[in-house]
Amino acid sequence: MPEIGATLREARMRARVDITEVELATKIRAKYLRAMENEEWDLLPGPTFVKSFLRTYAEYLGLDGRLLVDEYKQRHEGLPEHEPQPISPGGLGGEGRPRLQAPTIPRGWVIGLSVVGILAALIVLGSISGDEPASITASTTTRRAPRRAVAPPPKPTRVSLQLIPNDTVYVCLRNASDALVLSDTLQAGATTKTYRSKRFRLTLGNNALTLKVNGRKLSVPASAEAINYELTPGGRKRLSQSENAC
């Protein structure tokens, strides 16, 4: 089978289509299209994006995208890296036995005994002075008014999303209408505008990025593959590799 890049270039030349036309139609940047035609795979964000871009470009040119992706896997894809295993949280300190604490007297008992002592002293003083202790007892046992319950804040119905890159990272973002609203390589220090939708589907080339969802910052765990998320008002959900947003 001829080289993958040559197959793409010859098909584009036969169709008399310029790179800029392909970029507008497929939403794949021109430099990545040229990199595929020149088989400069290191210039693309990563293996997952290579396969996604390669399939999209081939199908646009009327080629068998699955066949070219299989050819790429056979020629260029190595063994997958092992993902780091999470460290399980440690148990109890020492020999795993809980520390013994000295018994404490409940606070309510202390307060109750104090009140009883004060009342006893007042009754004795009242009997000496001739006053009625009933009025004293009534005045010291006045109850506090109950507190009003605070209503919880309303739950959000839309997602507010901002992307804060910590290093170079490729990002694809689709809104609730499945429209591609972002497909770009972000650099460290740059902050995107705030996107709003009922839900989002997000693909990240690596974990060098912080998500700001409805004002709350969320970190992204390290992964040997592209990271796919679904973001809804209820939170975020990790998606499979076949559900990428690119």
Side-chain angles (χ1 to χ4, degrees):
M1 182 175 179
E3 295 297 325
I4 298 173
T7 301
L8 294 172
R9 187 184 303 106
E10 291 172 4
R12 180 174 61 82
M13 298 300 291
R14 285 197 304 270
R16 297 182 180 181
V17 180
D18 188 72
I19 284 288
T20 55
E21 296 180 45
V22 182
E23 180 181 29
L24 291 174
T26 62
K27 304 299 182 182
I28 302 174
R29 299 178 67 177
K31 68 176 184 179
Y32 296 144
L33 296 171
R34 294 190 184 95
M36 285 189 285
E37 289 189 357
N38 297 328
E39 298 206 10
E40 297 172 332
W41 308 114
D42 292 340
L43 299 181
L44 280 86
T48 300
F49 290 92
V50 171
K51 289 177 280 188
S52 177
F53 291 170
L54 185 58
R55 184 184 298 108
T56 301
Y57 191 12
E59 291 175 355
Y60 172 79
L61 296 173
L63 301 173
D64 188 340
R66 182 176 299 177
L67 183 62
L68 288 183
V69 170
D70 291 341
E71 184 69 19
Y72 167 80
K73 290 179 181 179
Q74 293 177 6
R75 294 186 181 185
H76 302 285
E77 207 170 54
L79 293 175
E81 297 180 1
H82 293 286
E83 295 188 12
Q85 296 296 324
I87 300 175
S88 58
L92 299 173
E95 298 178 356
R97 299 178 181 175
R99 295 182 179 179
L100 298 177
Q101 296 182 351
T104 57
I105 300 176
R107 186 178 178 184
W109 285 22
V110 175
I111 296 174
L113 292 173
S114 301
V115 172
V116 171
I118 294 172
L119 290 176
L122 291 175
I123 291 172
V124 172
L125 291 175
S127 62
I128 296 174
S129 61
D131 295 334
E132 292 294 332
S135 60
I136 298 175
T137 304
S139 62
T140 57
T141 57
T142 304
R143 296 182 179 179
R144 295 182 180 179
R147 296 181 180 179
R148 294 183 179 180
V150 179
K155 294 182 179 180
T157 58
R158 295 173 64 84
V159 181
S160 170
L161 175 63
Q162 197 173 21
L163 306 175
I164 307 171
N166 310 317
D167 203 339
T168 303
V169 54
Y170 191 82
V171 178
C172 289
L173 180 66
R174 292 183 182 272
N175 60 18
S177 302
D178 204 35
L180 186 64
V181 296
L182 179 63
S183 176
D184 201 356
T185 301
L186 305 181
Q187 303 296 331
T191 302
T192 66
K193 67 178 185 179
T194 300
Y195 298 94
R196 292 179 174 84
S197 180
K198 292 183 179 179
R199 67 177 181 84
F200 289 105
R201 192 151 50 94
L202 174 67
T203 295
L204 305 173
N206 55 54
N207 69 321
L209 183 137
T210 300
L211 306 177
K212 191 173 183 181
V213 182
N214 290 340
R216 179 186 176 192
K217 289 186 177 181
L218 302 174
S219 61
V220 179
S223 174
E225 299 178 319
I227 306 165
N228 304 311
Y229 283 122
E230 181 182 44
L231 304 173
T232 64
R236 65 175 175 177
K237 173 185 175 184
R238 186 77 176 259
L239 300 177
S240 64
Q241 290 298 313
S242 62
E243 298 176 282
N244 68 76
C246 296

